[in-house]
Amino acid sequence: MEATDSVGDHRSRATGHMVSCAVVTLSDSRGEADDRSGAYLREAVHAAGHRLAGYRLIRDEPDQLRAAIDALERLRAQVILCSGGTGIAPRDRTVDTLRDLWERQLPGFGELFRQLSFAEIGPAAMLSRADAGLLRHMVIFALPGSTPAVRLAWERLIAPELAHLVSLLPPAPTS
């Protein structure tokens, strides 16, 4: 059986597609002035020619994260980039909260992120629970809070496939 479309075909059809992205920083200690990871993501979204639908800085609390996702969905975000709360400390609840919401997980993201991270930081990469999943018409990424980790995820994994990934999502409701 012959495949009708290759990854390259999908990617070429998605090239140049502007994506509506939102950034959520989860931190119990940072404020907007020292949110370097959130600032990096907001700048990277603009530099890549995408639209920033919104930004939230919240505590790593499940109810606050769910409320932020609902608000950003109303702002027509197609991609939500969450930074922080992906470790193994008791307060790191981002991944657990998101996994309860996702309709489908994208396990390859976390696997590749940890592989790339291992090449940079060694065995401490196994402590990251970075992950991604789909919720309705959105892709939600759970990224570590460190700026080098966020940069790695954006530059090596997310940005190169963002338009292609979003082109495969169901359309958002119009009303």
Side-chain angles (χ1 to χ4, degrees):
M1 178 180 231
E2 185 178 314
T4 57
D5 284 331
S6 70
V7 172
D9 292 336
H10 283 284
R11 201 175 283 137
S12 68
R13 284 195 299 271
T15 301
H17 179 73
M18 185 189 72
V19 176
S20 178
C21 300
V23 174
V24 177
T25 298
L26 296 104
S27 176
D28 293 336
S29 59
R30 277 187 253 156
E32 189 171 342
D34 56 346
D35 178 17
R36 292 188 314 266
S37 294
Y40 169 81
L41 286 170
R42 293 191 314 267
E43 291 168 15
V45 164
H46 283 298
H50 301 300
R51 180 177 83 83
L52 184 67
Y55 165 70
R56 302 286 189 279
L57 175 64
I58 61 174
R59 292 181 54 82
D60 193 356
E61 294 288 345
D63 59 332
Q64 288 187 29
L65 180 53
R66 286 189 293 271
I69 289 170
D70 289 344
L72 294 167
E73 181 179 19
R74 287 190 298 276
L75 293 174
R76 319 279 295 156
Q78 297 168 293
V79 173
I80 300 177
L81 304 159
C82 298
S83 172
T86 62
I88 61 170
R91 289 281 305 148
D92 292 334
R93 298 183 286 186
T94 301
V95 175
D96 305 307
T97 302
L98 291 174
R99 284 182 180 161
D100 286 345
L101 296 174
W102 288 334
E103 295 160 349
R104 295 181 9 206
Q105 186 179 4
L106 296 174
F109 171 77
E111 294 162 0
L112 288 169
F113 175 79
R114 281 180 286 283
Q115 178 184 7
L116 292 170
S117 186
F118 178 79
E120 290 193 3
I121 66 169
M126 76 175 139
L127 302 176
S128 172
R129 296 188 304 143
D131 208 347
L134 307 176
L135 176 63
R136 293 181 289 279
H137 51 272
M138 299 179 293
V139 181
I140 304 175
F141 290 92
L143 309 173
S146 86
T147 306
V150 164
R151 181 177 292 112
L152 174 71
W154 175 262
E155 292 177 0
R156 299 285 305 276
L157 298 172
I158 300 169
E161 286 298 318
L162 192 61
H164 177 212
L165 180 59
V166 169
S167 74
L168 300 172
L169 296 174
T174 54
S175 55

